[in-house]
Amino acid sequence: MNSNNIQRAAQAIAQANALIITAGAGMGIDSGLPDFRGKNGFWKAFPPLQHLGKSFVQMATPDLFHNNPKLAWGFYGWRLNAYREVTPHRGFALLKQWADSKPHGAFVFTSNVDGQFQKAGFAENQVAECHGSIHHLQCVSGCQNDIWANEFVPQVNQHTCELENAPPTCPHCGKLARPNILMFGDDGWLPSRTMAQEQRLHNWLPRNAKVAIIELGAGVAIPSVRLFSESMSAQLNAPLIRINPDETTASSRLQINLPLGALDALQQIEMCLQANQY
């Protein structure tokens, strides 16, 4: 990559009057959140699960809440505590700054369930979480199609990754509650909150707006974010700034590839914006 792509990205952002920000798991790495790619990355983040031989796919499944609720809530409780404690990296503030400077603002589309964008100041009604959120709960059986705020404070054994206090329960039927997150092989996830978010995104899209799309840390293994970014780019004839240190294959002439980490790329773009008038 050369500085020309940074300049092209900065120019696209400067000339836009609305931003669509899309983000995958790579966006959280600079905040200190773990990278789950591969067993080694997952086990480094959750050492007890290496001894159990459990992979991310085996842990992120609704079946575990039925078969081993202490371990299921230990895993998600561990993550919930980490996400509550994390401080979003400076890249989030830069994105918010750029969004606030645009006449039509910005909308976020993310597969991340950690709530970092809201924590960084993005309005709740300007974020679409396509895989749900760990900060919201639902009944394991979806008894009332209800989704509610997650106020549970988990106590997790750091050696066994098991929950030590009583898990949250459904206020309607008293059964176990689970995070409102789309898991692997999940036919019990309630999508109503996410569907409402995505409808707000499409309602927000300004007619004839000049949009720039900034994609951050979205991988190919679960391509939800990449496919959305590419679809929006084609639909709106909008430049797609794809920021990813490993996977930046071009899909169209509208794509600007930056093979960098999220924070590094955003800081370089900001320096270019400060130095140039577009």
Side-chain angles (χ1 to χ4, degrees):
M1 187 203 71
N2 55 45
S3 61
N4 182 53
N5 277 12
I6 292 289
Q7 293 172 2
R8 289 176 62 206
Q11 185 172 8
I13 292 167
Q15 293 179 346
N17 58 21
L19 300 176
I20 295 176
I21 299 163
T22 68
M27 182 60 178
I29 291 174
D30 292 309
S31 298
L33 294 176
D35 179 2
F36 293 159
R37 286 179 299 180
K39 286 185 177 180
N40 289 335
F42 180 63
W43 287 341
K44 184 178 179 182
F46 300 98
L49 300 180
Q50 181 173 4
H51 302 302
L52 295 174
K54 296 286 189 181
S55 69
F56 179 59
V57 173
Q58 290 173 310
M59 294 301 297
T61 168
D63 291 342
L64 197 63
F65 284 90
H66 297 281
N67 302 330
N68 194 339
K70 281 189 176 181
L71 185 59
W73 258 117
F75 172 59
Y76 278 97
W78 191 318
R79 293 175 66 186
L80 177 61
N81 289 337
Y83 296 157
R84 283 173 172 167
E85 293 172 5
V86 73
T87 299
H89 61 75
R90 182 172 177 263
F92 286 92
L94 291 175
L95 290 169
K96 181 71 165 53
Q97 173 186 314
W98 301 341
D100 290 345
S101 73
K102 303 302 177 185
H104 300 297
F107 214 108
V108 174
F109 180 93
T110 181
S111 59
N112 297 335
V113 301
D114 52 38
Q116 274 202 94
F117 280 98
Q118 292 93 325
K119 201 169 188 179
F122 284 85
E124 182 70 35
N125 64 1
Q126 295 296 113
V127 179
E129 297 156 304
C130 66
H131 292 169
S133 168
I134 201 168
H135 303 291
H136 289 79
L137 299 177
Q138 65 167 84
C139 178
V140 290
S141 64
C143 68
Q144 298 290 323
N145 197 34
D146 190 23
I147 299 166
W148 63 94
N150 185 358
E151 298 177 353
F152 177 54
V153 180
Q155 298 171 14
V156 181
N157 187 303
Q158 300 297 303
H159 301 290
T160 64
C161 198
E162 290 188 336
L163 186 70
E164 295 187 324
N165 56 334
T169 55
C170 174
H172 304 289
C173 69
K175 290 183 180 178
L176 185 70
R178 51 160 277 190
N180 179 236
I181 292 174
L182 178 62
M183 304 177 193
F184 293 100
D186 195 350
D187 59 2
W189 179 59
L190 299 180
S192 57
R193 178 174 175 271
T194 290
M195 291 172 65
Q197 290 177 326
E198 294 180 358
Q199 187 59 54
R200 283 197 294 271
L201 189 161
H202 290 289
N203 291 344
W204 162 83
L205 276 173
R207 183 172 295 182
N208 300 323
K210 190 167 186 180
V211 176
I213 301 165
I214 308 171
E215 180 192 278
L216 304 121
V220 298
I222 303 175
S224 313
V225 172
R226 290 173 77 96
L227 294 175
F228 176 83
S229 301
E230 292 166 7
S231 172
M232 287 292 97
S233 176
Q235 177 183 323
L236 302 171
N237 195 35
L240 166 56
I241 303 162
R242 173 159 283 164
I243 298 170
N244 192 305
D246 304 311
E247 300 163 337
T248 52
T249 304
S251 61
S252 81
R253 61 176 179 80
L254 295 167
Q255 190 168 313
I256 303 167
N257 288 329
L258 300 180
L260 300 166
L263 178 58
D264 187 9
L266 294 172
Q267 290 184 144
Q268 288 195 45
I269 292 170
E270 173 63 11
M271 290 174 63
C272 192
L273 286 169
Q274 293 289 340
N276 295 279
Q277 298 292 325
Y278 294 104

